[in-house]
Amino acid sequence: RVLRGVYLALGVACVVVALVGIVLPVVPVTFPTLLAAYFFARSSPRFDRWLTNHRLFGPIVRDWRAGAGFTRRAKIIAAAGIVASFVFTGVVAVQSVGGRIVLALLAVSLCTYVLSRPTKPDRDITLSNPGR
């Protein structure tokens, strides 16, 4: 029960980060959304359903669970967000060379992971909106 509560709290925190990411372009949306889905799946079927059916976050979670991967655009945004946030952290918060090397290695690892996921085809606007 305690672990479920911790997972629920972490899931809510991840949703808050994802909501901030919608407003601030430097904060990623996809990664916190997927983390929230992970935590909600282990803590609350109700919150898991809510996230999976959410207008903004639902497609991210459903595509991930189906193994559909990310669009090319999402991969570029994710990689740019990772690089920007790690560079900012390295310049502002980390003073040691070793710490900056660790940040750089972590950023490269995260970017490699994101870019190695399956690439989902971009939607064809002409097919989805035939009246245009």
Side-chain angles (χ1 to χ4, degrees):
R1 291 186 80 105
V2 173
L3 189 56
R4 286 182 67 189
V6 170
Y7 281 161
L8 182 62
L10 289 171
V12 170
C14 288
V15 168
V16 169
V17 171
L19 287 169
V20 169
I22 290 172
V23 178
L24 298 174
V26 178
V27 179
V29 175
T30 302
F31 186 65
T33 301
L34 294 176
L35 271 178
Y38 173 84
F39 291 131
F40 287 158
R42 282 148 185 79
S43 64
S44 170
R46 187 178 94 192
F47 278 96
D48 186 52
R49 271 191 311 277
W50 171 80
L51 188 66
T52 304
N53 294 320
H54 192 273
R55 181 177 61 87
L56 297 173
F57 303 129
I60 296 169
V61 175
R62 289 190 303 269
D63 286 349
W64 181 260
R65 288 180 177 171
F70 303 114
T71 62
R72 185 178 359 268
R73 180 178 182 272
K75 286 183 174 188
I76 291 168
I77 290 171
I82 290 166
V83 169
S85 63
F86 276 76
V87 166
F88 179 79
T89 302
V91 169
V92 172
V94 178
Q95 300 302 319
S96 70
V97 173
R100 289 179 176 166
I101 290 171
V102 168
L103 278 177
L105 291 173
L106 186 56
V108 168
S109 299
L110 288 171
C111 286
T112 301
Y113 178 77
V114 167
L115 297 174
S116 70
R117 300 299 93 202
T119 302
K120 184 174 101 173
D122 292 325
R123 280 186 291 154
D124 185 352
I125 295 173
T126 58
L127 293 178
S128 62
N129 295 321
R132 286 184 133 177

